Amino acid sequence: TRTAASPDWFLDWAFEEIGLQTLASYVDPRNRHSIAVAERLGACLDTGAERPDPGDLVYRHGRSNGKPLPAPA
């Protein structure tokens, strides 16, 4: 289990405490730092996800077991 001191503690909080099934990060493709953070947190690029800005990348976050959840239907 992650602790509040680790930068990704909110993932466990969102999945375990709130009960969310997935989270998404919407990132401008020019923002390499945000892409690096999403990938460091274990997110996978979701090329089929809907996005408010068609130019954004969508990174899907799954549970902390290392297995990303499928994108919602």
Side-chain angles (χ1 to χ4, degrees):
T1 299
R2 298 174 181 125
T3 68
S6 65
D8 52 354
W9 64 269
F10 67 91
L11 294 175
D12 282 338
W13 173 79
F15 296 131
E16 295 172 15
E17 300 296 325
I18 304 299
L20 297 177
Q21 295 299 307
T22 186
L23 293 172
S25 294
Y26 298 90
V27 182
D28 184 308
R30 298 168 293 187
N31 190 336
R32 293 310 202 183
H33 294 291
S34 290
I35 291 169
V37 169
E39 291 174 347
R40 196 165 42 249
L41 292 174
C44 298
L45 186 60
D46 184 352
T47 57
E50 291 186 31
R51 58 208 80 210
D53 181 334
D56 282 348
L57 300 174
V58 179
Y59 279 84
R60 182 81 45 199
H61 300 268
R63 293 188 178 273
S64 62
N65 64 5
K67 297 178 183 174
L69 295 174

